[in-house]
Amino acid sequence: QARLVESGGGSVQVGGSLRLSCVDTAYTFDTYYMGWFRQAPGKEREGVAGIDVDGTTRYADSVKGRFTISKGAAKNSVYLEMNKLESEDTAMYYCGADPASSVYRPGKAWFRVPYWGKGTQVTVSS
């Protein structure tokens, strides 16, 4: 099973950029669907972006054109490049993995994703 570790979070100003990383220490990424969710205080965890085994990517409307999800050259890594950050992007960001289906797709609840990391905090201030 996947063991996910996120990093790369931090504090930036509006308009800034961050790159989040997710490493699967169990080396299962090659056959897993991957994605990023986020959760702001008092809100439900929401999908941000996902990448399928075949490389298909999906994004939430709120981040399209600003965020990019990709797999690293090393098969056990996934990245989320975040540009033009807004204060509304402030949240804990979690990496998720699913061996059977897309982590992020419209209508799929976060609790249907079987594997999660512990998260990395992103804070965007004006």
Side-chain angles (χ1 to χ4, degrees):
Q1 65 182 40
R3 292 192 294 271
L4 309 176
V5 180
E6 305 97 331
S7 63
S11 296
V12 296
Q13 292 189 325
V14 170
S17 300
L18 285 172
R19 188 188 194 214
L20 305 184
S21 299
C22 176
V23 177
D24 172 21
T25 59
Y27 290 84
T28 55
F29 272 15
D30 197 31
T31 59
Y32 274 50
Y33 298 79
M34 306 297 302
W36 289 91
F37 276 59
R38 66 187 180 187
Q39 187 167 17
K43 295 188 177 181
E44 190 171 358
R45 191 173 297 191
E46 63 175 4
V48 175
I51 185 165
D52 291 350
V53 173
D54 65 359
T56 299
T57 57
R58 298 179 183 83
Y59 298 92
D61 288 341
S62 60
V63 306
K64 280 180 181 176
R66 301 188 298 121
F67 290 10
T68 302
I69 188 171
S70 61
K71 287 190 176 182
K75 293 181 178 179
N76 66 328
S77 57
V78 173
Y79 303 102
L80 185 68
E81 186 78 32
M82 305 187 297
N83 298 313
K84 299 179 181 179
L85 283 162
E86 304 169 354
S87 56
E88 292 78 12
D89 296 318
T90 295
M92 184 71 79
Y93 283 70
Y94 297 91
C95 177
D98 191 326
S101 64
S102 300
V103 166
Y104 174 62
R105 68 171 186 267
K108 181 170 180 173
W110 68 268
F111 49 81
R112 299 294 184 190
V113 179
Y115 303 114
W116 292 102
K118 293 184 178 181
T120 185
Q121 178 67 37
V122 172
T123 302
V124 185
S125 58
S126 57

PDB file of all heavy atoms in Angstrom, residues 53-92:
ATOM      1  N   VAL A  53      -3.247   7.052 -14.013  1.00  0.00           N
ATOM      2  CA  VAL A  53      -2.140   6.183 -14.386  1.00  0.00           C
ATOM      3  C   VAL A  53      -1.672   6.466 -15.809  1.00  0.00           C
ATOM      4  O   VAL A  53      -0.474   6.410 -16.102  1.00  0.00           O
ATOM      5  CB  VAL A  53      -2.540   4.703 -14.221  1.00  0.00           C
ATOM      6  CG1 VAL A  53      -1.465   3.792 -14.773  1.00  0.00           C
ATOM      7  CG2 VAL A  53      -2.805   4.382 -12.759  1.00  0.00           C
ATOM      8  N   ASP A  54      -2.620   6.821 -16.699  1.00  0.00           N
ATOM      9  CA  ASP A  54      -2.256   7.081 -18.097  1.00  0.00           C
ATOM     10  C   ASP A  54      -1.804   8.523 -18.326  1.00  0.00           C
ATOM     11  O   ASP A  54      -1.548   8.920 -19.454  1.00  0.00           O
ATOM     12  CB  ASP A  54      -3.429   6.766 -19.025  1.00  0.00           C
ATOM     13  CG  ASP A  54      -4.635   7.668 -18.807  1.00  0.00           C
ATOM     14  OD1 ASP A  54      -4.581   8.547 -17.918  1.00  0.00           O
ATOM     15  OD2 ASP A  54      -5.634   7.490 -19.525  1.00  0.00           O
ATOM     16  N   GLY A  55      -1.723   9.307 -17.254  1.00  0.00           N
ATOM     17  CA  GLY A  55      -1.263  10.683 -17.364  1.00  0.00           C
ATOM     18  C   GLY A  55      -2.351  11.725 -17.530  1.00  0.00           C
ATOM     19  O   GLY A  55      -2.068  12.927 -17.554  1.00  0.00           O
ATOM     20  N   THR A  56      -3.610  11.282 -17.642  1.00  0.00           N
ATOM     21  CA  THR A  56      -4.711  12.236 -17.740  1.00  0.00           C
ATOM     22  C   THR A  56      -4.775  13.086 -16.485  1.00  0.00           C
ATOM     23  O   THR A  56      -4.690  12.570 -15.375  1.00  0.00           O
ATOM     24  CB  THR A  56      -6.047  11.488 -17.925  1.00  0.00           C
ATOM     25  OG1 THR A  56      -5.993  10.728 -19.128  1.00  0.00           O
ATOM     26  CG2 THR A  56      -7.204  12.476 -17.993  1.00  0.00           C
ATOM     27  N   THR A  57      -4.947  14.392 -16.660  1.00  0.00           N
ATOM     28  CA  THR A  57      -5.019  15.304 -15.512  1.00  0.00           C
ATOM     29  C   THR A  57      -6.386  15.977 -15.440  1.00  0.00           C
ATOM     30  O   THR A  57      -7.067  16.160 -16.453  1.00  0.00           O
ATOM     31  CB  THR A  57      -3.936  16.390 -15.597  1.00  0.00           C
ATOM     32  OG1 THR A  57      -4.072  17.112 -16.827  1.00  0.00           O
ATOM     33  CG2 THR A  57      -2.549  15.773 -15.520  1.00  0.00           C
ATOM     34  N   ARG A  58      -6.803  16.309 -14.229  1.00  0.00           N
ATOM     35  CA  ARG A  58      -8.058  17.017 -13.997  1.00  0.00           C
ATOM     36  C   ARG A  58      -7.811  18.088 -12.935  1.00  0.00           C
ATOM     37  O   ARG A  58      -6.992  17.889 -12.036  1.00  0.00           O
ATOM     38  CB  ARG A  58      -9.159  16.078 -13.504  1.00  0.00           C
ATOM     39  CG  ARG A  58      -9.528  14.976 -14.470  1.00  0.00           C
ATOM     40  CD  ARG A  58     -10.618  14.078 -13.894  1.00  0.00           C
ATOM     41  NE  ARG A  58     -10.936  12.974 -14.783  1.00  0.00           N
ATOM     42  CZ  ARG A  58     -10.236  11.846 -14.840  1.00  0.00           C
ATOM     43  NH1 ARG A  58      -9.190  11.679 -14.053  1.00  0.00           N
ATOM     44  NH2 ARG A  58     -10.576  10.900 -15.690  1.00  0.00           N
ATOM     45  N   TYR A  59      -8.548  19.183 -13.035  1.00  0.00           N
ATOM     46  CA  TYR A  59      -8.377  20.291 -12.099  1.00  0.00           C
ATOM     47  C   TYR A  59      -9.727  20.840 -11.668  1.00  0.00           C
ATOM     48  O   TYR A  59     -10.696  20.868 -12.433  1.00  0.00           O
ATOM     49  CB  TYR A  59      -7.583  21.430 -12.750  1.00  0.00           C
ATOM     50  CG  TYR A  59      -6.187  21.047 -13.154  1.00  0.00           C
ATOM     51  CD1 TYR A  59      -5.915  20.568 -14.434  1.00  0.00           C
ATOM     52  CD2 TYR A  59      -5.141  21.155 -12.245  1.00  0.00           C
ATOM     53  CE1 TYR A  59      -4.632  20.205 -14.798  1.00  0.00           C
ATOM     54  CE2 TYR A  59      -3.851  20.800 -12.601  1.00  0.00           C
ATOM     55  CZ  TYR A  59      -3.599  20.324 -13.873  1.00  0.00           C
ATOM     56  OH  TYR A  59      -2.319  19.963 -14.236  1.00  0.00           O
ATOM     57  N   ALA A  60      -9.770  21.321 -10.443  1.00  0.00           N
ATOM     58  CA  ALA A  60     -10.932  22.065  -9.995  1.00  0.00           C
ATOM     59  C   ALA A  60     -10.982  23.386 -10.757  1.00  0.00           C
ATOM     60  O   ALA A  60      -9.939  23.950 -11.104  1.00  0.00           O
ATOM     61  CB  ALA A  60     -10.823  22.326  -8.496  1.00  0.00           C
ATOM     62  N   ASP A  61     -12.186  23.876 -11.003  1.00  0.00           N
ATOM     63  CA  ASP A  61     -12.327  25.121 -11.761  1.00  0.00           C
ATOM     64  C   ASP A  61     -11.575  26.268 -11.097  1.00  0.00           C
ATOM     65  O   ASP A  61     -11.035  27.145 -11.776  1.00  0.00           O
ATOM     66  CB  ASP A  61     -13.806  25.486 -11.897  1.00  0.00           C
ATOM     67  CG  ASP A  61     -14.548  24.569 -12.859  1.00  0.00           C
ATOM     68  OD1 ASP A  61     -13.884  23.898 -13.676  1.00  0.00           O
ATOM     69  OD2 ASP A  61     -15.781  24.527 -12.789  1.00  0.00           O
ATOM     70  N   SER A  62     -11.527  26.255  -9.777  1.00  0.00           N
ATOM     71  CA  SER A  62     -10.918  27.368  -9.042  1.00  0.00           C
ATOM     72  C   SER A  62      -9.398  27.458  -9.232  1.00  0.00           C
ATOM     73  O   SER A  62      -8.805  28.496  -8.928  1.00  0.00           O
ATOM     74  CB  SER A  62     -11.236  27.242  -7.558  1.00  0.00           C
ATOM     75  OG  SER A  62     -10.728  26.019  -7.051  1.00  0.00           O
ATOM     76  N   VAL A  63      -8.777  26.377  -9.735  1.00  0.00           N
ATOM     77  CA  VAL A  63      -7.320  26.397  -9.873  1.00  0.00           C
ATOM     78  C   VAL A  63      -6.856  26.231 -11.321  1.00  0.00           C
ATOM     79  O   VAL A  63      -5.651  26.292 -11.595  1.00  0.00           O
ATOM     80  CB  VAL A  63      -6.654  25.321  -8.996  1.00  0.00           C
ATOM     81  CG1 VAL A  63      -7.109  25.451  -7.553  1.00  0.00           C
ATOM     82  CG2 VAL A  63      -6.925  23.916  -9.524  1.00  0.00           C
ATOM     83  N   LYS A  64      -7.786  26.009 -12.240  1.00  0.00           N
ATOM     84  CA  LYS A  64      -7.408  25.832 -13.643  1.00  0.00           C
ATOM     85  C   LYS A  64      -6.635  27.042 -14.155  1.00  0.00           C
ATOM     86  O   LYS A  64      -7.007  28.175 -13.916  1.00  0.00           O
ATOM     87  CB  LYS A  64      -8.659  25.615 -14.499  1.00  0.00           C
ATOM     88  CG  LYS A  64      -9.210  24.220 -14.450  1.00  0.00           C
ATOM     89  CD  LYS A  64     -10.450  24.075 -15.336  1.00  0.00           C
ATOM     90  CE  LYS A  64     -11.016  22.681 -15.252  1.00  0.00           C
ATOM     91  NZ  LYS A  64     -12.268  22.547 -16.037  1.00  0.00           N
ATOM     92  N   GLY A  65      -5.547  26.757 -14.847  1.00  0.00           N
ATOM     93  CA  GLY A  65      -4.725  27.826 -15.380  1.00  0.00           C
ATOM     94  C   GLY A  65      -3.699  28.350 -14.400  1.00  0.00           C
ATOM     95  O   GLY A  65      -2.797  29.103 -14.789  1.00  0.00           O
ATOM     96  N   ARG A  66      -3.796  27.959 -13.122  1.00  0.00           N
ATOM     97  CA  ARG A  66      -2.849  28.414 -12.110  1.00  0.00           C
ATOM     98  C   ARG A  66      -2.030  27.264 -11.528  1.00  0.00           C
ATOM     99  O   ARG A  66      -0.870  27.453 -11.177  1.00  0.00           O
ATOM    100  CB  ARG A  66      -3.586  29.135 -10.973  1.00  0.00           C
ATOM    101  CG  ARG A  66      -4.386  30.342 -11.414  1.00  0.00           C
ATOM    102  CD  ARG A  66      -4.929  31.129 -10.219  1.00  0.00           C
ATOM    103  NE  ARG A  66      -5.847  30.341  -9.401  1.00  0.00           N
ATOM    104  CZ  ARG A  66      -5.662  30.079  -8.109  1.00  0.00           C
ATOM    105  NH1 ARG A  66      -4.602  30.539  -7.484  1.00  0.00           N
ATOM    106  NH2 ARG A  66      -6.561  29.373  -7.436  1.00  0.00           N
ATOM    107  N   PHE A  67      -2.652  26.083 -11.391  1.00  0.00           N
ATOM    108  CA  PHE A  67      -1.993  24.931 -10.791  1.00  0.00           C
ATOM    109  C   PHE A  67      -1.715  23.884 -11.869  1.00  0.00           C
ATOM    110  O   PHE A  67      -2.492  23.720 -12.809  1.00  0.00           O
ATOM    111  CB  PHE A  67      -2.881  24.290  -9.723  1.00  0.00           C
ATOM    112  CG  PHE A  67      -3.073  25.102  -8.475  1.00  0.00           C
ATOM    113  CD1 PHE A  67      -2.661  26.425  -8.384  1.00  0.00           C
ATOM    114  CD2 PHE A  67      -3.682  24.525  -7.367  1.00  0.00           C
ATOM    115  CE1 PHE A  67      -2.841  27.162  -7.220  1.00  0.00           C
ATOM    116  CE2 PHE A  67      -3.870  25.243  -6.196  1.00  0.00           C
ATOM    117  CZ  PHE A  67      -3.461  26.560  -6.130  1.00  0.00           C
ATOM    118  N   THR A  68      -0.610  23.155 -11.669  1.00  0.00           N
ATOM    119  CA  THR A  68      -0.257  22.070 -12.581  1.00  0.00           C
ATOM    120  C   THR A  68       0.190  20.857 -11.776  1.00  0.00           C
ATOM    121  O   THR A  68       1.088  20.971 -10.936  1.00  0.00           O
ATOM    122  CB  THR A  68       0.879  22.488 -13.529  1.00  0.00           C
ATOM    123  OG1 THR A  68       0.490  23.653 -14.268  1.00  0.00           O
ATOM    124  CG2 THR A  68       1.194  21.367 -14.512  1.00  0.00           C
ATOM    125  N   ILE A  69      -0.445  19.713 -12.049  1.00  0.00           N
ATOM    126  CA  ILE A  69      -0.051  18.473 -11.391  1.00  0.00           C
ATOM    127  C   ILE A  69       0.796  17.664 -12.364  1.00  0.00           C
ATOM    128  O   ILE A  69       0.528  17.636 -13.565  1.00  0.00           O
ATOM    129  CB  ILE A  69      -1.284  17.661 -10.918  1.00  0.00           C
ATOM    130  CG1 ILE A  69      -0.847  16.469 -10.071  1.00  0.00           C
ATOM    131  CG2 ILE A  69      -2.139  17.221 -12.102  1.00  0.00           C
ATOM    132  CD1 ILE A  69      -2.027  15.745  -9.392  1.00  0.00           C
ATOM    133  N   SER A  70       1.828  17.011 -11.838  1.00  0.00           N
ATOM    134  CA  SER A  70       2.693  16.222 -12.703  1.00  0.00           C
ATOM    135  C   SER A  70       3.349  15.118 -11.893  1.00  0.00           C
ATOM    136  O   SER A  70       3.442  15.199 -10.674  1.00  0.00           O
ATOM    137  CB  SER A  70       3.766  17.105 -13.340  1.00  0.00           C
ATOM    138  OG  SER A  70       4.591  17.689 -12.347  1.00  0.00           O
ATOM    139  N   LYS A  71       3.799  14.098 -12.613  1.00  0.00           N
ATOM    140  CA  LYS A  71       4.567  13.036 -11.976  1.00  0.00           C
ATOM    141  C   LYS A  71       6.048  13.313 -12.203  1.00  0.00           C
ATOM    142  O   LYS A  71       6.446  13.802 -13.258  1.00  0.00           O
ATOM    143  CB  LYS A  71       4.181  11.675 -12.549  1.00  0.00           C
ATOM    144  CG  LYS A  71       2.821  11.197 -12.089  1.00  0.00           C
ATOM    145  CD  LYS A  71       2.586   9.750 -12.480  1.00  0.00           C
ATOM    146  CE  LYS A  71       1.265   9.242 -11.933  1.00  0.00           C
ATOM    147  NZ  LYS A  71       1.031   7.821 -12.269  1.00  0.00           N
ATOM    148  N   GLY A  72       6.852  12.990 -11.234  1.00  0.00           N
ATOM    149  CA  GLY A  72       8.272  13.205 -11.362  1.00  0.00           C
ATOM    150  C   GLY A  72       8.936  12.127 -12.195  1.00  0.00           C
ATOM    151  O   GLY A  72       8.324  11.105 -12.510  1.00  0.00           O
ATOM    152  N   ALA A  73      10.184  12.374 -12.557  1.00  0.00           N
ATOM    153  CA  ALA A  73      10.944  11.380 -13.313  1.00  0.00           C
ATOM    154  C   ALA A  73      11.089  10.103 -12.490  1.00  0.00           C
ATOM    155  O   ALA A  73      11.036   8.986 -13.032  1.00  0.00           O
ATOM    156  CB  ALA A  73      12.312  11.942 -13.686  1.00  0.00           C
ATOM    157  N   ALA A  74      11.267  10.270 -11.203  1.00  0.00           N
ATOM    158  CA  ALA A  74      11.235   9.124 -10.296  1.00  0.00           C
ATOM    159  C   ALA A  74       9.780   8.723 -10.124  1.00  0.00           C
ATOM    160  O   ALA A  74       8.926   9.561  -9.847  1.00  0.00           O
ATOM    161  CB  ALA A  74      11.849   9.502  -8.951  1.00  0.00           C
ATOM    162  N   LYS A  75       9.490   7.474 -10.304  1.00  0.00           N
ATOM    163  CA  LYS A  75       8.098   7.039 -10.381  1.00  0.00           C
ATOM    164  C   LYS A  75       7.339   7.182  -9.072  1.00  0.00           C
ATOM    165  O   LYS A  75       6.122   7.062  -9.052  1.00  0.00           O
ATOM    166  CB  LYS A  75       8.051   5.596 -10.863  1.00  0.00           C
ATOM    167  CG  LYS A  75       8.523   5.429 -12.297  1.00  0.00           C
ATOM    168  CD  LYS A  75       8.440   3.997 -12.752  1.00  0.00           C
ATOM    169  CE  LYS A  75       8.872   3.873 -14.210  1.00  0.00           C
ATOM    170  NZ  LYS A  75       8.818   2.470 -14.677  1.00  0.00           N
ATOM    171  N   ASN A  76       8.036   7.482  -7.977  1.00  0.00           N
ATOM    172  CA  ASN A  76       7.344   7.569  -6.700  1.00  0.00           C
ATOM    173  C   ASN A  76       7.071   8.997  -6.262  1.00  0.00           C
ATOM    174  O   ASN A  76       6.880   9.259  -5.086  1.00  0.00           O
ATOM    175  CB  ASN A  76       8.162   6.857  -5.622  1.00  0.00           C
ATOM    176  CG  ASN A  76       9.485   7.557  -5.349  1.00  0.00           C
ATOM    177  OD1 ASN A  76      10.067   8.149  -6.253  1.00  0.00           O
ATOM    178  ND2 ASN A  76       9.947   7.483  -4.126  1.00  0.00           N
ATOM    179  N   SER A  77       7.037   9.951  -7.200  1.00  0.00           N
ATOM    180  CA  SER A  77       6.816  11.340  -6.821  1.00  0.00           C
ATOM    181  C   SER A  77       5.757  12.014  -7.685  1.00  0.00           C
ATOM    182  O   SER A  77       5.637  11.738  -8.882  1.00  0.00           O
ATOM    183  CB  SER A  77       8.129  12.128  -6.907  1.00  0.00           C
ATOM    184  OG  SER A  77       8.679  12.041  -8.202  1.00  0.00           O
ATOM    185  N   VAL A  78       4.990  12.888  -7.061  1.00  0.00           N
ATOM    186  CA  VAL A  78       3.982  13.688  -7.739  1.00  0.00           C
ATOM    187  C   VAL A  78       4.116  15.122  -7.235  1.00  0.00           C
ATOM    188  O   VAL A  78       4.363  15.335  -6.044  1.00  0.00           O
ATOM    189  CB  VAL A  78       2.562  13.171  -7.457  1.00  0.00           C
ATOM    190  CG1 VAL A  78       1.521  14.113  -8.030  1.00  0.00           C
ATOM    191  CG2 VAL A  78       2.371  11.799  -8.047  1.00  0.00           C
ATOM    192  N   TYR A  79       3.938  16.076  -8.131  1.00  0.00           N
ATOM    193  CA  TYR A  79       4.121  17.467  -7.766  1.00  0.00           C
ATOM    194  C   TYR A  79       2.861  18.281  -8.051  1.00  0.00           C
ATOM    195  O   TYR A  79       2.043  17.899  -8.900  1.00  0.00           O
ATOM    196  CB  TYR A  79       5.285  18.081  -8.553  1.00  0.00           C
ATOM    197  CG  TYR A  79       6.569  17.343  -8.353  1.00  0.00           C
ATOM    198  CD1 TYR A  79       7.047  16.464  -9.335  1.00  0.00           C
ATOM    199  CD2 TYR A  79       7.303  17.494  -7.191  1.00  0.00           C
ATOM    200  CE1 TYR A  79       8.224  15.767  -9.155  1.00  0.00           C
ATOM    201  CE2 TYR A  79       8.489  16.805  -7.002  1.00  0.00           C
ATOM    202  CZ  TYR A  79       8.929  15.940  -7.982  1.00  0.00           C
ATOM    203  OH  TYR A  79      10.102  15.247  -7.796  1.00  0.00           O
ATOM    204  N   LEU A  80       2.712  19.382  -7.339  1.00  0.00           N
ATOM    205  CA  LEU A  80       1.661  20.348  -7.622  1.00  0.00           C
ATOM    206  C   LEU A  80       2.320  21.719  -7.670  1.00  0.00           C
ATOM    207  O   LEU A  80       2.730  22.266  -6.644  1.00  0.00           O
ATOM    208  CB  LEU A  80       0.568  20.320  -6.550  1.00  0.00           C
ATOM    209  CG  LEU A  80      -0.626  21.226  -6.845  1.00  0.00           C
ATOM    210  CD1 LEU A  80      -1.406  20.678  -8.060  1.00  0.00           C
ATOM    211  CD2 LEU A  80      -1.550  21.337  -5.642  1.00  0.00           C
ATOM    212  N   GLU A  81       2.443  22.244  -8.887  1.00  0.00           N
ATOM    213  CA  GLU A  81       2.990  23.579  -9.092  1.00  0.00           C
ATOM    214  C   GLU A  81       1.848  24.578  -8.959  1.00  0.00           C
ATOM    215  O   GLU A  81       0.851  24.470  -9.684  1.00  0.00           O
ATOM    216  CB  GLU A  81       3.627  23.675 -10.480  1.00  0.00           C
ATOM    217  CG  GLU A  81       4.352  24.979 -10.738  1.00  0.00           C
ATOM    218  CD  GLU A  81       5.709  25.014 -10.067  1.00  0.00           C
ATOM    219  OE1 GLU A  81       6.354  23.973  -9.937  1.00  0.00           O
ATOM    220  OE2 GLU A  81       6.119  26.127  -9.686  1.00  0.00           O
ATOM    221  N   MET A  82       1.993  25.519  -8.036  1.00  0.00           N
ATOM    222  CA  MET A  82       0.925  26.473  -7.765  1.00  0.00           C
ATOM    223  C   MET A  82       1.426  27.881  -8.041  1.00  0.00           C
ATOM    224  O   MET A  82       2.379  28.345  -7.402  1.00  0.00           O
ATOM    225  CB  MET A  82       0.456  26.350  -6.310  1.00  0.00           C
ATOM    226  CG  MET A  82       0.032  24.949  -5.929  1.00  0.00           C
ATOM    227  SD  MET A  82      -0.708  24.862  -4.276  1.00  0.00           S
ATOM    228  CE  MET A  82       0.674  25.379  -3.273  1.00  0.00           C
ATOM    229  N   ASN A  83       0.798  28.550  -8.996  1.00  0.00           N
ATOM    230  CA  ASN A  83       1.177  29.909  -9.371  1.00  0.00           C
ATOM    231  C   ASN A  83       0.010  30.864  -9.145  1.00  0.00           C
ATOM    232  O   ASN A  83      -1.136  30.436  -9.011  1.00  0.00           O
ATOM    233  CB  ASN A  83       1.614  29.945 -10.839  1.00  0.00           C
ATOM    234  CG  ASN A  83       2.828  29.083 -11.108  1.00  0.00           C
ATOM    235  OD1 ASN A  83       3.816  29.140 -10.372  1.00  0.00           O
ATOM    236  ND2 ASN A  83       2.774  28.281 -12.159  1.00  0.00           N
ATOM    237  N   LYS A  84       0.309  32.135  -9.127  1.00  0.00           N
ATOM    238  CA  LYS A  84      -0.722  33.175  -8.943  1.00  0.00           C
ATOM    239  C   LYS A  84      -1.598  32.838  -7.745  1.00  0.00           C
ATOM    240  O   LYS A  84      -2.833  32.870  -7.835  1.00  0.00           O
ATOM    241  CB  LYS A  84      -1.552  33.319 -10.214  1.00  0.00           C
ATOM    242  CG  LYS A  84      -0.741  33.732 -11.432  1.00  0.00           C
ATOM    243  CD  LYS A  84      -1.620  33.843 -12.665  1.00  0.00           C
ATOM    244  CE  LYS A  84      -0.794  34.225 -13.882  1.00  0.00           C
ATOM    245  NZ  LYS A  84      -1.645  34.302 -15.111  1.00  0.00           N
ATOM    246  N   LEU A  85      -0.985  32.528  -6.642  1.00  0.00           N
ATOM    247  CA  LEU A  85      -1.734  32.104  -5.464  1.00  0.00           C
ATOM    248  C   LEU A  85      -2.621  33.227  -4.938  1.00  0.00           C
ATOM    249  O   LEU A  85      -2.261  34.414  -4.976  1.00  0.00           O
ATOM    250  CB  LEU A  85      -0.776  31.621  -4.379  1.00  0.00           C
ATOM    251  CG  LEU A  85      -0.215  30.226  -4.640  1.00  0.00           C
ATOM    252  CD1 LEU A  85       1.027  29.966  -3.805  1.00  0.00           C
ATOM    253  CD2 LEU A  85      -1.275  29.163  -4.347  1.00  0.00           C
ATOM    254  N   GLU A  86      -3.781  32.816  -4.466  1.00  0.00           N
ATOM    255  CA  GLU A  86      -4.778  33.729  -3.921  1.00  0.00           C
ATOM    256  C   GLU A  86      -4.995  33.395  -2.450  1.00  0.00           C
ATOM    257  O   GLU A  86      -4.702  32.285  -2.004  1.00  0.00           O
ATOM    258  CB  GLU A  86      -6.087  33.584  -4.699  1.00  0.00           C
ATOM    259  CG  GLU A  86      -5.928  33.811  -6.201  1.00  0.00           C
ATOM    260  CD  GLU A  86      -7.157  33.398  -6.988  1.00  0.00           C
ATOM    261  OE1 GLU A  86      -8.088  32.826  -6.384  1.00  0.00           O
ATOM    262  OE2 GLU A  86      -7.194  33.654  -8.213  1.00  0.00           O
ATOM    263  N   SER A  87      -5.542  34.343  -1.708  1.00  0.00           N
ATOM    264  CA  SER A  87      -5.783  34.101  -0.285  1.00  0.00           C
ATOM    265  C   SER A  87      -6.720  32.913  -0.080  1.00  0.00           C
ATOM    266  O   SER A  87      -6.606  32.194   0.921  1.00  0.00           O
ATOM    267  CB  SER A  87      -6.354  35.357   0.374  1.00  0.00           C
ATOM    268  OG  SER A  87      -7.521  35.785  -0.287  1.00  0.00           O
ATOM    269  N   GLU A  88      -7.621  32.690  -1.050  1.00  0.00           N
ATOM    270  CA  GLU A  88      -8.557  31.571  -0.955  1.00  0.00           C
ATOM    271  C   GLU A  88      -7.867  30.216  -1.102  1.00  0.00           C
ATOM    272  O   GLU A  88      -8.479  29.178  -0.846  1.00  0.00           O
ATOM    273  CB  GLU A  88      -9.649  31.696  -2.018  1.00  0.00           C
ATOM    274  CG  GLU A  88     -10.608  32.861  -1.800  1.00  0.00           C
ATOM    275  CD  GLU A  88     -10.035  34.208  -2.223  1.00  0.00           C
ATOM    276  OE1 GLU A  88      -8.978  34.230  -2.899  1.00  0.00           O
ATOM    277  OE2 GLU A  88     -10.618  35.245  -1.863  1.00  0.00           O
ATOM    278  N   ASP A  89      -6.621  30.205  -1.520  1.00  0.00           N
ATOM    279  CA  ASP A  89      -5.876  28.959  -1.638  1.00  0.00           C
ATOM    280  C   ASP A  89      -5.294  28.511  -0.303  1.00  0.00           C
ATOM    281  O   ASP A  89      -4.736  27.407  -0.202  1.00  0.00           O
ATOM    282  CB  ASP A  89      -4.733  29.110  -2.651  1.00  0.00           C
ATOM    283  CG  ASP A  89      -5.238  29.383  -4.058  1.00  0.00           C
ATOM    284  OD1 ASP A  89      -6.222  28.746  -4.470  1.00  0.00           O
ATOM    285  OD2 ASP A  89      -4.639  30.243  -4.744  1.00  0.00           O
ATOM    286  N   THR A  90      -5.399  29.345   0.713  1.00  0.00           N
ATOM    287  CA  THR A  90      -4.884  28.984   2.036  1.00  0.00           C
ATOM    288  C   THR A  90      -5.603  27.747   2.568  1.00  0.00           C
ATOM    289  O   THR A  90      -6.830  27.731   2.666  1.00  0.00           O
ATOM    290  CB  THR A  90      -5.066  30.151   3.013  1.00  0.00           C
ATOM    291  OG1 THR A  90      -4.251  31.251   2.581  1.00  0.00           O
ATOM    292  CG2 THR A  90      -4.664  29.752   4.418  1.00  0.00           C
ATOM    293  N   ALA A  91      -4.832  26.714   2.891  1.00  0.00           N
ATOM    294  CA  ALA A  91      -5.406  25.453   3.359  1.00  0.00           C
ATOM    295  C   ALA A  91      -4.283  24.473   3.677  1.00  0.00           C
ATOM    296  O   ALA A  91      -3.122  24.709   3.336  1.00  0.00           O
ATOM    297  CB  ALA A  91      -6.322  24.855   2.290  1.00  0.00           C
ATOM    298  N   MET A  92      -4.675  23.368   4.303  1.00  0.00           N
ATOM    299  CA  MET A  92      -3.782  22.217   4.414  1.00  0.00           C
ATOM    300  C   MET A  92      -3.963  21.408   3.139  1.00  0.00           C
ATOM    301  O   MET A  92      -5.100  21.084   2.768  1.00  0.00           O
ATOM    302  CB  MET A  92      -4.130  21.389   5.638  1.00  0.00           C
ATOM    303  CG  MET A  92      -3.193  20.217   5.883  1.00  0.00           C
ATOM    304  SD  MET A  92      -1.563  20.749   6.446  1.00  0.00           S
ATOM    305  CE  MET A  92      -1.927  21.082   8.167  1.00  0.00           C
TER     306      MET A  92
END
